[in-house]
Amino acid sequence: MRFLALGLSLAVACTLSAAQKPLEIYFIDVEGGQATLFVTPSGQSLLIDTGWSGNQFRDANRIAAAARNARVKKIDYVIVTHYHEDHVGGVPQLVEKIPVGTFVDHGDNIETGKAATRLSEGYRKGLATAQRLTVKPGDKLPIKGLDVTIVSANGVVIANPLPGAGAANAFCDSAQPKEVDTTENARSVGSYIQFGRFRTVDLGDLTWNKEKELACPANKLGTVDLLIVGHHGSDLSSNPVLVKALSPRVAIMDNGQKKGGSPSTVDTIRGVAGLEDLWQLHFADEGGKEHNAPDAFIANITEADTGYYLKVTANEDGSFSVFNQRNKQTKSYAAK
Ligand SMILES: [Zn+2]
Ligand SMILES: [Zn+2]
């Protein structure tokens, strides 16, 4: 009888843990590019961008290693936010290392010239191995257990606020425009991602004036728990009218040592009321000690190509934690 009771309680425990399994998000270090891997409790996966080309498969190997860590053998969806080297460059190498189900993009590359043509050709190699899905604002990605809404694509942002969002944004009065951006950055595919009560947003390299369109006069996105800092923390993005309206508890910046991590962006993020921590993939040389997070919150702090990742583990109740692979430390953030 005692054995039967033990067996029953184990069965109950297993059922509970399956239902309560977390979402995992790997912030893979691709040295100033982007590669962010989401893995749902049922094992579905979404990769946002593929890092750089070249470097003897460095970025593809790091993505494949994170996928192995997450027990994923195939990447179901890869969002190519836009056609720049540090986002789409890694596609041909990635598909050699791990199969991809569907590539998601905003349509064809609008940039021309030698480099753009090479990137488009590399992307076509990837597309030859997978499905292609071209998205527009308001579309959803059919990923089980994850609510992914496209909020920007090809230079257009959602026309209407997301459910529950749309409050007037008091920060709009102080908005300062920047020069109109005619590059691929302004066409980035942006995603608002929900897992139960946990919410995060990724806007690729979406630039300043487009960020404002998402935030003014009404805040179309609402708030998030985790902000994936846009454009590697470059000062061409992270318009304060959006960053303040999003009001993140935690921000993670996928900067490189010499790319992104602008001091003014760090100041904008630190200026968010209610921000608990800023985490970074690299110490950013541009900012010096005073414009970088404390070392414990940085995955790669030396010049050596260490390639450590940050990993977020998020629960449906909105609680989450951040793990730094370098020092093996984890910080938890309770549900609010
Ligand atoms: Zn970029
Ligand atoms: Zn870019």
Side-chain angles (χ1 to χ4, degrees), residues 11-336:
V12 170
C14 289
T15 313
L16 278 178
S17 66
Q20 295 176 346
K21 272 172 81 176
L23 169 72
E24 296 182 338
I25 314 171
Y26 291 82
F27 292 80
I28 300 156
D29 177 30
V30 290
E31 312 287 340
Q34 182 170 8
T36 315
L37 178 66
F38 292 71
V39 181
T40 71
S42 63
Q44 284 231 302
S45 53
L46 164 67
L47 176 70
I48 302 184
D49 289 326
T50 63
W52 305 82
S53 63
N55 305 305
Q56 284 86 44
F57 284 77
R58 179 196 66 199
D59 295 353
N61 283 336
R62 288 179 183 177
I63 294 164
R68 271 195 303 279
N69 202 299
R71 301 163 305 282
V72 163
K73 291 193 170 65
K74 173 189 173 189
I75 299 179
D76 297 301
Y77 290 89
V78 175
I79 294 178
V80 170
T81 60
H82 65 297
Y83 300 101
H84 279 164
E85 183 83 49
D86 54 326
H87 297 260
V88 71
V91 165
Q93 296 181 348
L94 180 72
V95 296
E96 283 192 47
K97 292 288 171 186
I98 185 164
V100 170
T102 303
F103 283 101
V104 179
D105 61 47
H106 70 58
D108 290 338
N109 192 351
I110 58 111
E111 293 184 4
T112 53
K114 219 169 144 190
T117 303
R118 183 176 49 76
L119 289 173
S120 297
E121 280 168 5
Y123 184 44
R124 269 198 291 278
K125 276 188 200 162
L127 285 177
T129 72
Q131 303 285 312
R132 181 184 191 180
L133 179 64
T134 293
V135 289
K136 55 184 190 316
D139 287 353
K140 299 250 188 192
L141 294 191
I143 300 175
K144 207 175 133 199
L146 205 57
D147 188 353
V148 182
T149 308
I150 304 302
V151 296
S152 68
N154 205 24
V156 181
V157 307
I158 44 173
N160 298 308
L162 296 176
N169 182 353
F171 301 114
C172 295
D173 293 343
S174 55
Q176 300 288 332
K178 286 200 180 190
E179 210 174 302
V180 173
D181 173 17
T182 57
T183 73
E184 271 287 321
N185 289 334
R187 295 178 184 255
S188 290
V189 173
S191 312
Y192 187 91
I193 299 171
Q194 290 171 268
F195 176 68
R197 294 186 59 189
F198 174 81
R199 302 147 309 152
T200 185
V201 67
D202 181 280
L203 300 175
D205 285 357
L206 197 73
T207 32
W208 197 267
N209 298 346
K210 290 292 168 191
E211 292 178 308
K212 187 190 166 197
E213 288 180 31
L214 282 169
C216 296
N219 171 9
K220 290 175 176 171
L221 298 182
T223 60
V224 293
D225 301 289
L226 170 67
L227 171 66
I228 301 174
V229 178
H231 210 168
H232 327 288
S234 154
D235 60 10
L236 297 174
S237 301
S238 289
N239 190 330
V241 295
L242 176 66
V243 174
K244 288 180 183 175
L246 288 169
S247 189
R249 297 177 65 184
V250 168
I252 297 185
M253 191 158 75
D254 50 11
N255 63 300
Q257 186 192 343
K258 297 186 190 305
K259 186 162 172 290
S262 298
S264 61
T265 299
V266 172
D267 285 340
T268 296
I269 293 165
R270 285 179 177 164
V272 170
L275 185 92
E276 294 172 52
D277 290 308
L278 166 66
W279 295 74
Q280 298 172 215
L281 276 186
H282 274 266
F283 181 89
D285 284 356
E286 192 185 340
K289 272 279 175 201
E290 63 278 16
H291 281 98
N292 274 276
D295 281 359
F297 293 82
I298 301 178
N300 300 281
I301 48 175
T302 65
E303 296 209 4
D305 213 0
T306 41
Y308 292 124
Y309 60 71
L310 297 171
K311 179 185 168 189
V312 168
T313 302
N315 303 300
E316 287 191 321
D317 67 1
S319 64
F320 61 104
S321 62
V322 184
F323 168 75
N324 183 343
Q325 191 196 12
R326 178 178 60 79
N327 60 16
K328 308 280 185 284
Q329 288 179 8
T330 300
K331 182 166 179 183
S332 297
Y333 301 88
K336 272 198 169 169

